[in-house]
Amino acid sequence: MADRLTQLQDAIDNQLTLMYASINYIKTRHPYGEIPGQPSQAPPPAPIPAPPQPAPSQSLTNGDAPPSQPNGPAQPAAPPQAARAPEQQPDQRDGSPPPERPDTFNAALHELARDLVLQEQQIELLINSLPGLGNSEASQERRMRELDAELREVERERAEAEEERERMVDALGEVLAGTRRVH
């Protein structure tokens, strides 16, 4: 686990990333607005191509060849969708995505705003958990002296316990040396 300052820096970095992503989304995906008295500059909605369906009389099974045309040479088939040149819309010359529908755009804006607010609250929580907030320099120095005195007392008690342990080991050694082995 990282210390609080590192967590705070990471949270700020996340906040900035969220802000950048939000601004970029708004810039690239906003719906066109209608201005009264002016022609719309919004591109026409892209038509949804219907999937090709075979004619009812030409149902083929695997391995069957299409029937030959008796009335002349065969006409070339239309090129597949991928081979055709894509029609560029005016707003997509640079490869930007098409605008969102207003309801989808507004829902995404609410979600982005919620994420920004939650990240900001996390930053506030981390800032409030930092030591020293609400304490003056004098009170912090006094607390450090108290902790130093407490540490010295605990260290003195540890040294006394270490001396007691040494005495007990010596006493145990004398007791063991004074006993005889019984054969």
Side-chain angles (χ1 to χ4, degrees):
M1 173 140 226
D3 64 287
R4 290 183 188 146
L5 288 178
T6 303
Q7 289 176 348
L8 180 60
Q9 181 62 46
D10 290 344
I12 291 171
D13 289 345
N14 288 342
Q15 178 84 356
L16 292 175
T17 302
L18 281 171
M19 286 179 175
Y20 174 78
S22 299
I23 290 171
N24 189 40
Y25 177 80
I26 292 168
K27 177 183 166 198
T28 59
R29 302 302 298 264
H30 64 86
Y32 286 89
E34 296 296 324
I35 301 174
Q38 292 192 8
S40 174
Q41 298 203 2
I48 299 173
Q53 296 183 358
S57 64
Q58 292 183 352
S59 62
L60 301 176
T61 59
N62 286 338
D64 290 346
S68 61
Q69 296 179 346
N71 297 341
Q75 297 178 354
Q81 290 283 343
R84 294 183 192 160
E87 296 179 17
Q88 293 234 339
Q89 295 180 354
D91 68 326
Q92 293 183 345
R93 282 184 290 250
D94 60 355
S96 63
E100 295 276 357
R101 292 189 352 247
D103 57 337
T104 305
F105 183 74
N106 288 335
L109 282 183
H110 285 288
E111 183 177 343
L112 289 169
R114 187 189 73 233
D115 291 346
L116 285 169
V117 168
L118 288 175
Q119 188 66 37
E120 185 273 333
Q121 289 173 346
Q122 181 182 7
I123 289 172
E124 280 188 25
L125 184 69
L126 287 168
I127 289 172
N128 290 334
S129 71
L130 290 173
L133 291 178
N135 293 331
S136 67
E137 185 177 343
S139 67
Q140 289 180 25
E141 287 177 3
R142 187 183 73 249
R143 177 69 177 143
M144 287 174 54
R145 282 191 295 275
E146 290 171 0
L147 290 173
D148 187 47
E150 185 178 329
L151 180 62
R152 289 177 196 267
E153 177 64 27
V154 169
E155 179 61 28
R156 186 186 58 75
E157 290 173 2
R158 189 201 62 79
E160 288 176 0
E162 180 67 24
E163 289 174 9
E164 177 69 24
R165 185 188 67 81
E166 287 294 325
R167 283 195 303 270
M168 293 292 217
V169 167
D170 290 343
L172 182 61
E174 290 175 10
V175 168
L176 289 176
T179 60
R180 287 187 271 151
R181 248 185 161 178
V182 178
H183 294 305

